[in-house]
Amino acid sequence: MKFLHNDLNPWLALMLRRRQRFLVGALLVWVTLLAGLALLGLSGWFIAACALAGIALAAGLPSSLDIYVPGGGIRFFALLRTVARYTERLYNHNTVLTLLADLRYRVFGDLTRLDDASLRRRRVGEWLSRLTSDIDALDSLYLRLLVPPVVALLSVWIVAGFIAIWLPLVGAVVACVLTLLWLVITLGFAKLGFANSHRQVDDQEELRRLVLDQVQASAELMSYRTSDWYHRKIRSHEQQALDNQRQLAVKAALGNALLMAVTGLLIIGVLWLGSLALAEQRVVGPIMVMGVIAVFGINEVLASLPAAFVRFGASHGAAQRLNALRATQEQTRVDSLPDGEGGHALQLREVMFRYPDAAGWAICQVSLTLPAGQRGAIMGISGSGKSTLANLIMGRISPTEGDVWVAEHAPSAVTLESSAAHMGYLPQQIDLFDGSLADNLRIAKPDATDEELWQVLAQVALSDWAKRQPRQLAAQVGERGQQLSGGQARRVALARLFLRSPSVVLLDEPFAGVDAATARHVAASLDAWLVGRTAIFFVHQVDDAALVPGLAHQWRLDGGKLIHDTSF
């Protein structure tokens, strides 16, 4: 039980921040259920009382019955149940949506704090599962595992206490039997279905991964004639998932069957004990009928619990996976880079880095020094380690061995706010969002004026193109910049970099995807903009020195090793 508490406690604490909303929602559920039980019991009493009064009158016996008070009560509880049900659905749906927003905000925040090495351990689809299926599983903590059992137990005790007013023994029996039943269908069935429900989420994620891999690697599978083998692998895993799901469904059905059997036997017991009390004239017939029907209505209160608790393992598994995000987060960032004119010096000392589960080193014993305000170029073929080295300098990953310093601070320990303010990076992979050109530029500077946007577009040779668009700055770039060419997308990202004022600038293939004339125009803009900043160009080869003017240092990276150092 302790490990369950430790795994679920962070998410329960997050939910309890809105405890007032949850208490109001639980109260509405409780009122709805009690109104239904009161309506059922009072209707049973009223029907029985009318029947007995009619029988007495038919037999010539004097009889009277006030139909207005119980009739008014029936109307009141019917209206209360309807209004409470509508209000509860409306209020709790809003609460659940708010809870989902809180959960996703928390998880997305955890994802943003992971370094690149941790993010690369899993596919994009697996991270998407953290934000969707795992959060949906945690959402059931409130909807199915917290409110319903608490409300059900309170309802059981209230019904038992109400019956005990006239029939103390019957009330005690109802309380004991239903409390024991509550424990069995909550704690008992949570344990019974724990392993199966835990495995069900893993099966769904694995099937999703296998199917996506099949689609993405269909050409390779056909080339190697392994498509049939892969299909069999998917079908085999699918059959295992179906078998596990069937076992889970059987256990949920067993819970429902147990609930119906126990409540059915309890109704017979209440009827028997009530008839004994009726024979001894300790209770009248309508009261006995009301008690029996009230116990019958308890079945509705408990009906949702077996299916919910038999899947408790899914919620626990989701909590474990989401907790692991925090366990693998990078170290706490506490440092800030100093403000001031000019760039910051860069220094690497015997830096080594290995990606998780990789056989060899991506970066091996790299040492370099770049004084503040100077420019350098690191050359190397694809796969030589340039992007990894750039990520080390930016602090996106931490070195396995050795030290990286930016202005005598480890970049992986610098706060994200300070890093964003003082360091700029143009990576190979460009992130543009489905919005307007202006919106994508203002990510770098939200208060930038239109004049500033046109200025940076001119610096990257995109202003003429933008002016030819019907909507100009409001032109849509499409999801991931699909409306732009690769070279245009890189220049939009570079223009976004121009809007900031970083002290350290890393440029990974800044001229990729552009023609020679455009490259020279962009190089001239970079030359003017980089004055006083510390900059490193990551390129395959410096074929045209005019594209990287002002270089003070030049290195070559091969297989993760810095094998050549030329200063000039």
Side-chain angles (χ1 to χ4, degrees), residues 101-418:
D102 290 344
L103 291 172
R104 290 199 171 109
Y105 182 83
R106 163 79 172 271
V107 174
F108 189 78
D110 290 344
L111 288 176
T112 60
R113 295 182 182 92
L114 294 176
D115 59 24
D116 282 20
S118 298
L119 288 172
R120 291 180 182 180
R121 291 178 183 176
R122 297 184 180 275
R123 295 175 173 84
V124 174
E126 293 180 79
W127 294 125
L128 184 61
S129 293
R130 302 291 86 80
L131 285 169
T132 53
S133 59
D134 282 344
I135 289 179
D136 289 340
L138 275 183
D139 174 45
S140 67
L141 280 176
Y142 169 70
L143 269 183
R144 299 187 179 92
L145 300 175
L146 290 180
V147 173
V150 172
V151 170
L153 187 60
L154 289 176
S155 300
V156 164
W157 289 345
I158 286 178
V159 169
F162 184 73
I163 295 174
I165 295 174
W166 296 278
L167 298 168
L169 177 60
V170 175
V173 170
V174 169
C176 292
V177 172
L178 291 182
T179 300
L180 181 60
L181 177 62
W182 181 89
L183 289 172
V184 171
I185 62 178
T186 54
L187 301 182
F189 275 83
K191 183 177 182 180
L192 182 64
F194 189 88
N196 293 105
S197 59
H198 201 291
R199 191 180 308 121
Q200 184 183 31
V201 178
D202 295 335
D203 287 340
Q204 290 173 347
E205 185 169 330
E206 180 65 13
L207 279 173
R208 187 183 300 112
R209 183 189 69 79
L210 289 172
V211 172
L212 288 176
D213 285 352
Q214 180 191 24
V215 173
Q216 294 174 350
S218 57
E220 289 81 359
L221 290 172
M222 292 179 65
S223 299
Y224 287 95
R225 297 182 179 179
T226 54
S227 297
D228 291 340
W229 166 80
Y230 201 84
H231 289 164
R232 289 194 298 271
K233 182 178 180 180
I234 293 178
R235 285 195 295 269
S236 174
H237 197 88
E238 184 180 22
Q239 187 59 49
Q240 293 177 12
L242 287 174
D243 291 341
N244 179 71
Q245 190 172 355
R246 189 177 297 109
Q247 293 176 21
L248 197 61
V250 168
K251 292 177 180 179
L254 179 63
N256 290 326
L258 176 65
L259 174 62
M260 295 180 67
V262 172
T263 54
L265 291 174
L266 183 61
I267 290 172
I268 296 174
V270 170
L271 185 60
W272 176 63
L273 293 174
S275 64
L276 294 178
L278 181 63
E280 297 173 1
Q281 296 184 348
R282 290 187 286 111
V283 69
V284 295
I287 295 296
M288 186 194 73
V289 173
M290 180 174 62
V292 172
I293 294 181
V295 172
F296 181 80
I298 285 292
N299 185 72
E300 179 185 354
V301 176
L302 300 173
S304 63
L305 299 184
F309 276 86
V310 83
R311 290 177 170 80
F312 173 72
S315 297
H316 177 256
Q320 281 185 316
R321 285 186 291 273
L322 294 178
N323 289 338
L325 296 181
R326 292 211 155 190
T328 57
Q329 281 180 23
E330 58 183 337
Q331 63 183 1
T332 303
R333 295 170 176 256
V334 295
D335 295 342
S336 296
L337 293 174
D339 295 322
E341 297 295 329
H344 294 312
L346 303 179
Q347 188 174 24
L348 281 73
R349 302 176 190 166
E350 298 293 322
V351 172
M352 301 184 70
F353 180 78
R354 187 202 305 270
Y355 285 102
D357 303 323
W361 295 98
I363 295 295
C364 185
Q365 294 183 331
V366 168
S367 298
L368 64 85
T369 299
L370 183 62
Q374 295 190 10
R375 305 177 196 176
I378 296 179
M379 300 174 293
I381 62 174
S382 297
S384 60
K386 300 192 302 297
S387 296
T388 300
L389 192 58
N391 286 327
L392 285 166
I393 296 173
M394 286 296 299
R396 292 185 170 185
I397 52 179
S398 301
T400 307
E401 297 179 18
D403 299 300
V404 179
W405 301 104
V406 177
E408 300 183 353
H409 289 75
S412 58
V414 173
T415 64
L416 296 176
E417 293 77 9
S418 180

Side-chain angles (χ1 to χ4, degrees), residues 32-44 73-74 77-78 80 159 290 294:
T32 302
L33 290 175
L34 286 183
L37 289 172
L39 176 63
L40 189 62
L42 184 56
S43 298
I74 290 172
F77 287 122
L80 176 62
V159 169
M290 180 174 62

